[in-house]
Amino acid sequence: MTRVLITGFAPFDGERVNPSWQAASLVAAEPPAGLTVTATELPCAFGDSLDALYEAVRTVGPDLVLCLGQAGGRPGVTVERVGINIDDARIPDNKGRQPVDEPVVPDGPAAYFSTLPVKACVAAMREAGVPAAVSHTAGTFVCNHVAYGLGHLIATEFPHIRGGFAHVPWAPEQVTDGRAPALPPATVAHGLRALLTAAARTPAGQDLKVTEGATH
């Protein structure tokens, strides 16, 4: 059995729910065949989120880690390719913190690439009927903070773990005016099960050789 840790965030910015945690909970409740999945909710706060993630990694001892966050306005699940070493918060986090141009890890490298097979993960979700794409920016808020922090933890303490970050769209209950794309958490969870299965089956260091680049 492949041990998986999946995380989502608590609601933030006045929202009542966070679809990343909704989807993570559903995947843990009905994991894919061959995988054991533990879900952990992270606080939407700089620093605290990494403390909770690191504790969960040490407790669960996973083979794979998938962290999730909300990206309102994106039409599908987007698997992040890279996390960068910068916190630059457009809004305060849930603790009122709003860092500007501060490193996630002082003296850390500029960026960490995901160690998941991002293109294979995207292909698997599309095959499952869930809209998905590779993303080349995780932003500079708490999602990127966790994406980079996870990369740093893997690089410095747990090189046997493969892990990465994905963003999920708003849930329909968050878009009552119909002016932005949304996906039901159950649909997102269906795609994430395919993602995790593909990640578990793809040998470390390998991925699909297909175009998923962007011009901007």
Side-chain angles (χ1 to χ4, degrees), residues 75-132:
V77 180
T78 50
V79 184
E80 299 299 338
R81 198 171 203 171
V82 61
I84 61 173
N85 194 14
I86 194 72
D87 291 332
D88 190 4
R90 181 181 60 82
I91 58 175
D93 67 11
N94 284 357
K95 289 288 188 71
R97 301 165 183 155
Q98 193 171 5
V100 175
D101 297 342
E102 296 181 10
V104 180
V105 177
D107 300 320
Y112 284 110
F113 283 104
S114 173
T115 54
L116 298 179
V118 295
K119 293 181 178 181
C121 290
V122 166
M125 283 189 286
R126 290 172 179 166
E127 188 174 347
V130 178

Short mmCIF file of all heavy atoms in Angstrom, two decimals, residues 75-132:
data_model
loop_
_atom_site.label_atom_id
_atom_site.label_comp_id
_atom_site.label_asym_id
_atom_site.label_seq_id
_atom_site.Cartn_x
_atom_site.Cartn_y
_atom_site.Cartn_z
N PRO A 75 -10.75 27.34 -13.91
CA PRO A 75 -11.86 26.48 -14.32
C PRO A 75 -11.69 25.01 -14.00
O PRO A 75 -12.64 24.24 -14.09
CB PRO A 75 -11.91 26.69 -15.84
CG PRO A 75 -10.49 26.99 -16.21
CD PRO A 75 -9.93 27.78 -15.06
N GLY A 76 -10.47 24.58 -13.64
CA GLY A 76 -10.24 23.17 -13.36
C GLY A 76 -9.18 23.00 -12.30
O GLY A 76 -8.67 23.98 -11.73
N VAL A 77 -8.83 21.75 -12.05
CA VAL A 77 -7.77 21.45 -11.09
C VAL A 77 -6.43 21.74 -11.78
O VAL A 77 -6.18 21.30 -12.89
CB VAL A 77 -7.82 19.98 -10.65
CG1 VAL A 77 -6.71 19.67 -9.66
CG2 VAL A 77 -9.18 19.65 -10.05
N THR A 78 -5.58 22.50 -11.12
CA THR A 78 -4.29 22.86 -11.71
C THR A 78 -3.16 22.34 -10.83
O THR A 78 -3.07 22.67 -9.65
CB THR A 78 -4.17 24.38 -11.87
OG1 THR A 78 -4.50 25.04 -10.65
CG2 THR A 78 -5.08 24.88 -12.98
N VAL A 79 -2.32 21.50 -11.43
CA VAL A 79 -1.20 20.92 -10.71
C VAL A 79 -0.01 21.86 -10.84
O VAL A 79 0.42 22.19 -11.95
CB VAL A 79 -0.85 19.53 -11.27
CG1 VAL A 79 0.27 18.89 -10.45
CG2 VAL A 79 -2.08 18.62 -11.25
N GLU A 80 0.49 22.31 -9.71
CA GLU A 80 1.57 23.30 -9.72
C GLU A 80 2.91 22.65 -10.03
O GLU A 80 3.26 21.61 -9.47
CB GLU A 80 1.63 24.01 -8.37
CG GLU A 80 0.38 24.77 -8.00
CD GLU A 80 0.01 25.87 -8.99
OE1 GLU A 80 0.92 26.34 -9.72
OE2 GLU A 80 -1.17 26.25 -9.02
N ARG A 81 3.65 23.31 -10.90
CA ARG A 81 4.95 22.80 -11.29
C ARG A 81 6.07 23.27 -10.37
O ARG A 81 7.08 22.59 -10.20
CB ARG A 81 5.25 23.25 -12.73
CG ARG A 81 6.32 22.48 -13.44
CD ARG A 81 6.35 22.88 -14.90
NE ARG A 81 6.97 21.83 -15.71
CZ ARG A 81 6.98 21.84 -17.03
NH1 ARG A 81 6.39 22.83 -17.70
NH2 ARG A 81 7.56 20.86 -17.70
N VAL A 82 5.88 24.46 -9.75
CA VAL A 82 6.98 25.06 -9.00
C VAL A 82 6.45 25.93 -7.87
O VAL A 82 5.40 26.57 -8.00
CB VAL A 82 7.88 25.89 -9.96
CG1 VAL A 82 7.10 27.03 -10.60
CG2 VAL A 82 9.13 26.40 -9.26
N GLY A 83 7.16 25.94 -6.76
CA GLY A 83 6.89 26.88 -5.66
C GLY A 83 8.09 27.78 -5.51
O GLY A 83 9.24 27.33 -5.61
N ILE A 84 7.87 29.08 -5.28
CA ILE A 84 8.97 30.03 -5.21
C ILE A 84 9.16 30.56 -3.80
O ILE A 84 8.22 30.57 -3.00
CB ILE A 84 8.76 31.21 -6.19
CG1 ILE A 84 7.47 31.97 -5.87
CG2 ILE A 84 8.73 30.70 -7.63
CD1 ILE A 84 7.30 33.26 -6.71
N ASN A 85 10.37 31.00 -3.51
CA ASN A 85 10.75 31.40 -2.15
C ASN A 85 10.39 32.84 -1.87
O ASN A 85 11.25 33.68 -1.62
CB ASN A 85 12.24 31.17 -1.94
CG ASN A 85 12.64 31.23 -0.48
OD1 ASN A 85 11.79 31.19 0.41
ND2 ASN A 85 13.94 31.32 -0.21
N ILE A 86 9.08 33.13 -1.89
CA ILE A 86 8.64 34.50 -1.60
C ILE A 86 7.24 34.48 -1.02
O ILE A 86 6.37 33.71 -1.46
CB ILE A 86 8.66 35.38 -2.88
CG1 ILE A 86 8.53 36.87 -2.53
CG2 ILE A 86 7.61 34.96 -3.87
CD1 ILE A 86 9.75 37.45 -1.90
N ASP A 87 7.03 35.25 0.03
CA ASP A 87 5.71 35.54 0.57
C ASP A 87 5.40 37.00 0.26
O ASP A 87 6.15 37.90 0.68
CB ASP A 87 5.68 35.34 2.10
CG ASP A 87 5.80 33.89 2.51
OD1 ASP A 87 5.40 33.00 1.72
OD2 ASP A 87 6.30 33.63 3.62
N ASP A 88 4.32 37.22 -0.48
CA ASP A 88 3.92 38.59 -0.83
C ASP A 88 2.40 38.61 -0.84
O ASP A 88 1.75 38.32 -1.85
CB ASP A 88 4.49 38.97 -2.20
CG ASP A 88 4.33 40.45 -2.52
OD1 ASP A 88 3.84 41.20 -1.65
OD2 ASP A 88 4.68 40.85 -3.64
N ALA A 89 1.81 38.90 0.31
CA ALA A 89 0.39 38.67 0.54
C ALA A 89 -0.46 39.87 0.10
O ALA A 89 -0.31 40.97 0.63
CB ALA A 89 0.13 38.37 2.01
N ARG A 90 -1.37 39.62 -0.83
CA ARG A 90 -2.30 40.66 -1.26
C ARG A 90 -3.33 40.97 -0.19
O ARG A 90 -3.80 42.11 -0.05
CB ARG A 90 -2.99 40.22 -2.55
CG ARG A 90 -3.99 41.24 -3.12
CD ARG A 90 -4.65 40.69 -4.37
NE ARG A 90 -5.40 39.46 -4.13
CZ ARG A 90 -6.64 39.42 -3.64
NH1 ARG A 90 -7.28 40.55 -3.31
NH2 ARG A 90 -7.26 38.27 -3.47
N ILE A 91 -3.69 39.94 0.60
CA ILE A 91 -4.64 40.10 1.70
C ILE A 91 -4.03 39.48 2.95
O ILE A 91 -3.12 38.64 2.85
CB ILE A 91 -5.99 39.41 1.38
CG1 ILE A 91 -5.77 37.91 1.11
CG2 ILE A 91 -6.69 40.09 0.21
CD1 ILE A 91 -7.05 37.12 0.92
N PRO A 92 -4.51 39.84 4.14
CA PRO A 92 -4.00 39.18 5.36
C PRO A 92 -4.43 37.73 5.43
O PRO A 92 -5.48 37.33 4.89
CB PRO A 92 -4.65 39.99 6.49
CG PRO A 92 -5.10 41.27 5.87
CD PRO A 92 -5.46 40.93 4.46
N ASP A 93 -3.61 36.90 6.08
CA ASP A 93 -4.02 35.52 6.32
C ASP A 93 -4.99 35.48 7.50
O ASP A 93 -5.42 36.52 8.02
CB ASP A 93 -2.79 34.62 6.54
CG ASP A 93 -2.04 34.94 7.84
OD1 ASP A 93 -2.55 35.70 8.68
OD2 ASP A 93 -0.93 34.42 8.01
N ASN A 94 -5.35 34.30 7.94
CA ASN A 94 -6.34 34.16 9.01
C ASN A 94 -5.84 34.60 10.38
O ASN A 94 -6.62 34.70 11.32
CB ASN A 94 -6.84 32.73 9.09
CG ASN A 94 -7.82 32.38 7.98
OD1 ASN A 94 -8.17 33.23 7.16
ND2 ASN A 94 -8.26 31.14 7.94
N LYS A 95 -4.55 34.86 10.49
CA LYS A 95 -3.99 35.40 11.73
C LYS A 95 -3.70 36.91 11.60
O LYS A 95 -3.13 37.50 12.51
CB LYS A 95 -2.69 34.67 12.08
CG LYS A 95 -2.90 33.22 12.54
CD LYS A 95 -3.51 33.19 13.93
CE LYS A 95 -3.55 31.78 14.52
NZ LYS A 95 -2.22 31.28 14.88
N GLY A 96 -4.11 37.49 10.49
CA GLY A 96 -3.88 38.91 10.28
C GLY A 96 -2.49 39.25 9.76
O GLY A 96 -2.13 40.42 9.66
N ARG A 97 -1.71 38.25 9.43
CA ARG A 97 -0.36 38.48 8.92
C ARG A 97 -0.41 38.80 7.43
O ARG A 97 -1.15 38.15 6.67
CB ARG A 97 0.52 37.25 9.16
CG ARG A 97 0.64 36.84 10.62
CD ARG A 97 1.22 35.44 10.74
NE ARG A 97 1.29 35.00 12.12
CZ ARG A 97 1.29 33.73 12.50
NH1 ARG A 97 1.20 32.77 11.59
NH2 ARG A 97 1.36 33.40 13.77
N GLN A 98 0.42 39.72 7.01
CA GLN A 98 0.45 40.10 5.60
C GLN A 98 1.90 40.41 5.19
O GLN A 98 2.27 41.57 4.96
CB GLN A 98 -0.45 41.31 5.34
CG GLN A 98 -0.71 41.57 3.86
CD GLN A 98 -1.77 42.62 3.65
OE1 GLN A 98 -2.29 43.23 4.60
NE2 GLN A 98 -2.13 42.85 2.39
N PRO A 99 2.74 39.38 5.10
CA PRO A 99 4.14 39.61 4.74
C PRO A 99 4.28 40.15 3.32
O PRO A 99 3.50 39.80 2.42
CB PRO A 99 4.77 38.22 4.86
CG PRO A 99 3.63 37.28 4.65
CD PRO A 99 2.44 37.95 5.27
N VAL A 100 5.27 40.99 3.14
CA VAL A 100 5.54 41.57 1.82
C VAL A 100 7.01 41.32 1.49
O VAL A 100 7.90 41.73 2.23
CB VAL A 100 5.23 43.08 1.79
CG1 VAL A 100 5.64 43.68 0.44
CG2 VAL A 100 3.75 43.33 2.04
N ASP A 101 7.24 40.61 0.40
CA ASP A 101 8.59 40.35 -0.10
C ASP A 101 9.50 39.70 0.95
O ASP A 101 10.66 40.07 1.09
CB ASP A 101 9.22 41.64 -0.62
CG ASP A 101 8.46 42.23 -1.80
OD1 ASP A 101 7.67 41.49 -2.41
OD2 ASP A 101 8.64 43.41 -2.10
N GLU A 102 8.94 38.73 1.67
CA GLU A 102 9.73 37.99 2.64
C GLU A 102 9.94 36.56 2.14
O GLU A 102 9.06 35.98 1.52
CB GLU A 102 9.01 37.94 4.00
CG GLU A 102 8.84 39.31 4.65
CD GLU A 102 8.13 39.23 5.99
OE1 GLU A 102 7.95 38.08 6.49
OE2 GLU A 102 7.75 40.27 6.54
N PRO A 103 11.10 35.97 2.40
CA PRO A 103 11.32 34.58 1.96
C PRO A 103 10.52 33.59 2.78
O PRO A 103 10.27 33.81 3.96
CB PRO A 103 12.82 34.39 2.16
CG PRO A 103 13.16 35.32 3.28
CD PRO A 103 12.28 36.53 3.08
N VAL A 104 10.12 32.50 2.15
CA VAL A 104 9.50 31.41 2.89
C VAL A 104 10.54 30.78 3.80
O VAL A 104 10.29 30.55 4.99
CB VAL A 104 8.93 30.35 1.92
CG1 VAL A 104 8.28 29.20 2.71
CG2 VAL A 104 7.93 30.96 0.95
N VAL A 105 11.72 30.54 3.24
CA VAL A 105 12.85 29.98 3.98
C VAL A 105 14.06 30.89 3.76
O VAL A 105 14.59 30.95 2.65
CB VAL A 105 13.19 28.55 3.51
CG1 VAL A 105 14.42 28.02 4.26
CG2 VAL A 105 11.99 27.62 3.70
N PRO A 106 14.49 31.63 4.78
CA PRO A 106 15.67 32.48 4.61
C PRO A 106 16.87 31.69 4.10
O PRO A 106 17.15 30.59 4.58
CB PRO A 106 15.92 33.03 6.02
CG PRO A 106 14.57 32.97 6.68
CD PRO A 106 13.91 31.75 6.13
N ASP A 107 17.52 32.23 3.10
CA ASP A 107 18.70 31.60 2.48
C ASP A 107 18.37 30.31 1.75
O ASP A 107 19.28 29.57 1.35
CB ASP A 107 19.79 31.33 3.52
CG ASP A 107 20.27 32.61 4.22
OD1 ASP A 107 20.41 33.63 3.51
OD2 ASP A 107 20.49 32.59 5.43
N GLY A 108 17.09 30.03 1.54
CA GLY A 108 16.72 28.86 0.74
C GLY A 108 16.89 29.14 -0.74
O GLY A 108 17.04 30.29 -1.16
N PRO A 109 16.87 28.11 -1.58
CA PRO A 109 16.96 28.32 -3.02
C PRO A 109 15.76 29.10 -3.55
O PRO A 109 14.73 29.21 -2.86
CB PRO A 109 16.99 26.90 -3.59
CG PRO A 109 16.40 26.04 -2.52
CD PRO A 109 16.74 26.69 -1.22
N ALA A 110 15.89 29.61 -4.75
CA ALA A 110 14.84 30.46 -5.31
C ALA A 110 13.53 29.70 -5.50
O ALA A 110 12.45 30.28 -5.38
CB ALA A 110 15.30 31.04 -6.65
N ALA A 111 13.62 28.40 -5.80
CA ALA A 111 12.41 27.65 -6.10
C ALA A 111 12.63 26.16 -5.91
O ALA A 111 13.77 25.68 -5.90
CB ALA A 111 11.97 27.92 -7.54
N TYR A 112 11.52 25.45 -5.78
CA TYR A 112 11.53 23.99 -5.79
C TYR A 112 10.51 23.50 -6.80
O TYR A 112 9.35 23.97 -6.80
CB TYR A 112 11.16 23.41 -4.42
CG TYR A 112 12.24 23.49 -3.38
CD1 TYR A 112 12.12 24.36 -2.29
CD2 TYR A 112 13.38 22.68 -3.45
CE1 TYR A 112 13.11 24.43 -1.32
CE2 TYR A 112 14.37 22.75 -2.49
CZ TYR A 112 14.24 23.62 -1.43
OH TYR A 112 15.22 23.69 -0.46
N PHE A 113 10.92 22.57 -7.66
CA PHE A 113 9.98 21.94 -8.56
C PHE A 113 9.25 20.82 -7.82
O PHE A 113 9.80 20.16 -6.94
CB PHE A 113 10.70 21.37 -9.78
CG PHE A 113 11.09 22.40 -10.80
CD1 PHE A 113 12.40 22.82 -10.91
CD2 PHE A 113 10.14 22.96 -11.64
CE1 PHE A 113 12.77 23.78 -11.84
CE2 PHE A 113 10.50 23.91 -12.58
CZ PHE A 113 11.81 24.32 -12.68
N SER A 114 7.99 20.59 -8.21
CA SER A 114 7.24 19.46 -7.69
C SER A 114 7.98 18.17 -8.01
O SER A 114 8.60 18.04 -9.09
CB SER A 114 5.85 19.42 -8.34
OG SER A 114 5.16 18.25 -7.98
N THR A 115 7.93 17.22 -7.12
CA THR A 115 8.50 15.91 -7.40
C THR A 115 7.42 14.90 -7.79
O THR A 115 7.69 13.71 -7.91
CB THR A 115 9.31 15.39 -6.19
OG1 THR A 115 8.48 15.40 -5.01
CG2 THR A 115 10.54 16.25 -5.96
N LEU A 116 6.21 15.39 -8.02
CA LEU A 116 5.16 14.56 -8.62
C LEU A 116 5.29 14.62 -10.14
O LEU A 116 5.80 15.59 -10.69
CB LEU A 116 3.77 15.07 -8.21
CG LEU A 116 3.41 15.06 -6.73
CD1 LEU A 116 2.02 15.63 -6.53
CD2 LEU A 116 3.51 13.64 -6.16
N PRO A 117 4.81 13.59 -10.85
CA PRO A 117 4.78 13.64 -12.31
C PRO A 117 3.61 14.51 -12.78
O PRO A 117 2.53 14.02 -13.09
CB PRO A 117 4.60 12.16 -12.70
CG PRO A 117 3.82 11.58 -11.57
CD PRO A 117 4.28 12.31 -10.33
N VAL A 118 3.82 15.80 -12.82
CA VAL A 118 2.71 16.75 -12.98
C VAL A 118 1.92 16.51 -14.27
O VAL A 118 0.70 16.62 -14.29
CB VAL A 118 3.20 18.20 -12.89
CG1 VAL A 118 3.72 18.52 -11.50
CG2 VAL A 118 4.26 18.51 -13.93
N LYS A 119 2.61 16.17 -15.36
CA LYS A 119 1.91 15.98 -16.62
C LYS A 119 1.12 14.68 -16.63
O LYS A 119 0.00 14.63 -17.16
CB LYS A 119 2.90 16.04 -17.78
CG LYS A 119 3.51 17.43 -17.97
CD LYS A 119 4.47 17.47 -19.15
CE LYS A 119 5.04 18.88 -19.34
NZ LYS A 119 5.95 18.96 -20.51
N ALA A 120 1.67 13.65 -16.04
CA ALA A 120 0.92 12.39 -15.93
C ALA A 120 -0.30 12.57 -15.03
O ALA A 120 -1.36 12.00 -15.29
CB ALA A 120 1.83 11.29 -15.38
N CYS A 121 -0.15 13.37 -13.98
CA CYS A 121 -1.28 13.64 -13.08
C CYS A 121 -2.40 14.38 -13.81
O CYS A 121 -3.58 14.06 -13.66
CB CYS A 121 -0.80 14.46 -11.89
SG CYS A 121 0.26 13.56 -10.73
N VAL A 122 -2.03 15.38 -14.61
CA VAL A 122 -3.02 16.14 -15.36
C VAL A 122 -3.71 15.23 -16.38
O VAL A 122 -4.94 15.26 -16.54
CB VAL A 122 -2.36 17.34 -16.05
CG1 VAL A 122 -3.28 17.95 -17.11
CG2 VAL A 122 -2.00 18.40 -15.02
N ALA A 123 -2.94 14.43 -17.09
CA ALA A 123 -3.52 13.52 -18.08
C ALA A 123 -4.50 12.55 -17.45
O ALA A 123 -5.56 12.25 -18.02
CB ALA A 123 -2.40 12.76 -18.80
N ALA A 124 -4.17 12.06 -16.27
CA ALA A 124 -5.05 11.11 -15.58
C ALA A 124 -6.37 11.76 -15.19
O ALA A 124 -7.44 11.15 -15.31
CB ALA A 124 -4.35 10.55 -14.35
N MET A 125 -6.31 12.99 -14.72
CA MET A 125 -7.55 13.69 -14.36
C MET A 125 -8.41 13.94 -15.58
O MET A 125 -9.64 13.77 -15.54
CB MET A 125 -7.23 14.99 -13.64
CG MET A 125 -6.82 14.80 -12.20
SD MET A 125 -6.67 16.34 -11.28
CE MET A 125 -5.15 16.99 -11.97
N ARG A 126 -7.80 14.35 -16.69
CA ARG A 126 -8.58 14.57 -17.91
C ARG A 126 -9.23 13.29 -18.38
O ARG A 126 -10.39 13.28 -18.80
CB ARG A 126 -7.66 15.13 -19.00
CG ARG A 126 -7.20 16.56 -18.75
CD ARG A 126 -6.16 16.97 -19.76
NE ARG A 126 -5.71 18.35 -19.58
CZ ARG A 126 -4.62 18.85 -20.16
NH1 ARG A 126 -3.88 18.10 -20.95
NH2 ARG A 126 -4.28 20.11 -19.93
N GLU A 127 -8.48 12.18 -18.30
CA GLU A 127 -9.04 10.89 -18.70
C GLU A 127 -10.22 10.51 -17.82
O GLU A 127 -11.16 9.83 -18.27
CB GLU A 127 -7.96 9.81 -18.65
CG GLU A 127 -8.40 8.48 -19.22
CD GLU A 127 -7.27 7.47 -19.28
OE1 GLU A 127 -6.10 7.87 -19.11
OE2 GLU A 127 -7.56 6.28 -19.50
N ALA A 128 -10.19 10.96 -16.57
CA ALA A 128 -11.30 10.70 -15.64
C ALA A 128 -12.47 11.66 -15.85
O ALA A 128 -13.47 11.58 -15.15
CB ALA A 128 -10.81 10.79 -14.20
N GLY A 129 -12.32 12.59 -16.80
CA GLY A 129 -13.40 13.51 -17.11
C GLY A 129 -13.42 14.79 -16.30
O GLY A 129 -14.42 15.51 -16.29
N VAL A 130 -12.30 15.08 -15.64
CA VAL A 130 -12.22 16.27 -14.79
C VAL A 130 -11.27 17.28 -15.45
O VAL A 130 -10.14 16.93 -15.79
CB VAL A 130 -11.70 15.91 -13.39
CG1 VAL A 130 -11.55 17.16 -12.52
CG2 VAL A 130 -12.66 14.92 -12.72
N PRO A 131 -11.71 18.53 -15.66
CA PRO A 131 -10.83 19.51 -16.29
C PRO A 131 -9.59 19.77 -15.45
O PRO A 131 -9.68 19.95 -14.23
CB PRO A 131 -11.70 20.77 -16.39
CG PRO A 131 -12.81 20.58 -15.40
CD PRO A 131 -13.02 19.10 -15.31
N ALA A 132 -8.44 19.75 -16.10
CA ALA A 132 -7.17 19.89 -15.38
C ALA A 132 -6.12 20.49 -16.29
O ALA A 132 -6.22 20.41 -17.52
CB ALA A 132 -6.70 18.53 -14.87
#
